[in-house]
Amino acid sequence: MKFLFDKDTWQEIYGAIRKNKGRTAITIIGVMWGIFLLVTLLGAARGVENGFNRMFGSFATNSVFVWGRATSMPFKGFQEGKRVRLTLSDIDAIEQELPEIMMTVPRISTNSLCSNGFKAGTFEVFGDYSELDMVQKKNLVYGRFLNKTDILEKRKVCVLEEETYKQLFDKDEYPIGTMIKINDTNFKIVGIYKKGAVSIDSAEIHIGYSIFQQLYNRGENIDYMFVTANEGTDIVQLEADIKLLLKNIHKVHPEDDRALGSFNMGKEMEKVTSFLTGMQFMTWFIGIATLIAGVFAIGNILLITVKERTKEIGVRRALGATPRDIRNQIVMESVFLTSIAGMLGIIFGGIVLVIIDSLVGDEPDAFMVNPTINIPIVLIALVTLVTLGTLIGLIPAGIATRIKPIEALREE
Amino acid sequence: MQNKPRDNIFMIKIEQLHKSYPIGKESLHVLKGINLEVKEGEFVSIMGSSGSGKSTMLNIIGLLDDHDKGKYTLDGELIQSMDEVKGAKLRNKFLGFVFQSFNLIAYKNAWENVALPLYYKGVGRKERKIKAMEYLDKVGLKPWANHLPNELSGGQKQRVAIARALVTEPKVILADEPTGALDSETSDSVMKLLRGINDEGMTIVVITHEHDIAELTDRIVLLKDGQILSDEHTSTYNNKIKK
Ligand SMILES: Nc1ncnc2c1ncn2[C@@H]1O[C@H](COP(=O)(O)OP(=O)(O)O)[C@@H](O)[C@H]1O
Ligand SMILES: [Mg+2]
């Protein structure tokens, strides 16, 4: 291995490569193309993944949302069409029965007239718990989301979605601390948030659960429950369990699929994840196949050049080169070429990713966000490349060492 | 110790040497019992018609090829069939080669070509360059040090090749038809160069099929059908001795 650190080895290699520019260029292009594809495709795949994550990432992915609807089958003396009303005690019941539930957050909602001076409109008002922020993290533009004290002390504070804020306020008017009227009651604005591309919020104004109950005279009934499961729970199974339990409590036929509505975040995420996995797999497949093709091209070209350089190799042997000297030189040429090609490919791939990134921009609905490739993958790719370069270089090197000086030097 | 008598007064000593090449199932008997002794400082030419086995003999002397039968001693060291690594080392240490078609490496300039054997000897780059320049100067080509072979004339290329053969300070220079690709004027100057080197004490063995060229050496060994037909000193040598 000493020869690796010998400056002369590299000078010999550099000399041979520099002075065979044509073949060096051709050789490099193949591998460069392969690693370039790998880097750009992986980066693009990462970008798409980031895009999905931005859309879904604010959600606790192991959560399922359930709401009551009307029955579609008669059961235990009840006619079909009975309205299922979920209650706070349902939450206690399912949490008792199903230990895999980490947290359940109820929500009540109504449409209500809201106004800020002369600007007014009907908006959907939600009664929420501060824990909602854990189900879907709010992307706050100003201020904060509801907190525990707001709920406990029944504070008259509210959080607006950005669109609502735009309808109730003039442009550039700082809203935090301002009062608006909700159902003829003054509420102080504590936060403005921006809705993501995928959201559990159809709008619009969030106030504390407790103050909502009081304001609209709601009892135990709830409109939605957001169930978040412990890590590692089979969320599809949990959804079925919850629904069966609720059907039991509310005397609904167990096979009545219309009585309860639900949205399973976990299931949706799974689809996205498997799509992303597929995409990654494709990327790796294409990239590696191209890389291997490129490395083989290098091997092939080295093989040709070994034949072209038979005489040179014979001369070197006559002048005192051992078969090992010859082998090392050819292998090192291969490694050197693959490494240079690899680095060039990575650099060009990086440049293309930067260009893509600037073209895609930073819109919230962009299908790609921050297309990057991480350093470990780049390093692995490089190491693999050098290894492949060594292995493939061994073939022409082996042939080169078998060249007999007398045969190489024989005058025709 | 200092006065230990040299038991190897012969630089090259060959006894009953045989060499055959397999050709398909047949075997071509090329060298049929060669006996040859070359003393240190001799300037010998080997003559013979094409196919008489000159190159084969020189390749064996040059450790580029094995012999089948017989004894070969180089500078007192008995050469037996050996591995390629040892062969390479001995070539590098003892022998300098000059070829008919020069065999310079096309992408290396003159001094880099000259320096190449030193690289395989493990000499550092700085010293390599100094040595290479020194020997290029010796063959009168110092101003051409940075030229590529294709920028040099045939005679200049052969001078570079000779500098390359000399640079490791070998014991023997082996030249297989060094003037074969040169016009007569250039041939003469190359032979003069070799003569000068020989005058400094170098043992030289040259193959040629031109009698004029052979006459410029000290001794002519005539090969025919794999055997030595005659082995005589030249008039050049005899004139030198008379003086
Ligand atoms: N490697 C080899 N394999 C088979 N035959 C060879 C080989 N080298 C030389 N020969 C044959 O041996 C004979 C002598 O060749 P060579 O020594 O090159 O002759 P010269 O140099 O005197 O012209 C020729 O007939 C040649 O064809
Ligand atoms: Mg010959």
Side-chain angles (χ1 to χ4, degrees), chain A residues 406-407 410, chain B residues 21-23 28 30 48-57 65 176-177 207:
Chain A
I406 43 159
E407 266 145 55
R410 186 177 312 154
Chain B
Y21 287 117
I23 307 241
L28 181 66
V30 179
S49 53
S50 178
S52 56
K54 307 183 295 289
S55 296
T56 304
M57 192 164 110
D65 208 350
D176 193 343
E177 312 225 18
I207 289 178

Side-chain angles (χ1 to χ4, degrees), chain A residues 8-9 11-12 15-16 19-20 309 311-312 315-323 325 405-406 409 411, chain B residues 59 64-65 84-85 88-89 91-92 97 99-101 103 105 107-108 112 116 119-120 123 125 128 164:
Chain A
D8 291 330
T9 312
Q11 255 150 357
E12 246 346 273
K19 284 160 181 165
N20 293 284
R309 289 161 76 190
K311 193 127 196 179
E312 177 193 330
V315 172
R316 285 174 182 272
R317 291 293 312 278
L319 298 180
T322 60
D325 288 329
I406 43 159
L409 294 172
E411 313 280 355
Chain B
N59 287 339
L64 292 168
D65 208 350
E84 305 206 66
V85 179
K89 291 262 155 21
R91 278 198 294 278
N92 192 246
F97 291 91
F99 307 95
Q100 177 177 352
S101 53
N103 284 336
I105 290 173
Y107 59 80
K108 286 180 178 291
E112 288 169 331
L116 191 59
Y119 168 68
Y120 290 116
V123 177
R125 185 171 173 87
R128 286 211 300 271
R164 180 176 67 183

Side-chain angles (χ1 to χ4, degrees), chain B residues 114-133:
Chain B
V114 175
L116 191 59
L118 295 175
Y119 168 68
Y120 290 116
K121 206 176 180 179
V123 177
R125 185 171 173 87
K126 260 197 197 130
E127 206 191 323
R128 286 211 300 271
K129 182 156 189 186
I130 294 169
K131 270 261 163 87
M133 294 307 282

Side-chain angles (χ1 to χ4, degrees), chain B residues 1-60:
Chain B
M1 284 289 261
Q2 287 144 314
N3 294 328
K4 185 187 167 215
R6 275 173 67 96
D7 49 357
N8 53 327
I9 52 165
F10 296 115
M11 183 57 78
I12 295 164
K13 187 176 162 89
I14 288 171
E15 293 162 77
Q16 282 305 313
L17 187 91
H18 287 262
K19 175 72 181 177
S20 303
Y21 287 117
I23 307 241
K25 279 177 205 142
E26 307 281 301
S27 164
L28 181 66
H29 200 176
V30 179
L31 299 181
K32 305 165 180 166
I34 301 278
N35 292 298
L36 180 71
E37 290 164 347
V38 177
K39 286 192 212 117
E40 185 167 10
E42 270 196 284
F43 191 2
V44 182
S45 57
I46 298 170
M47 288 196 70
S49 53
S50 178
S52 56
K54 307 183 295 289
S55 296
T56 304
M57 192 164 110
L58 201 76
N59 287 339
I60 290 171

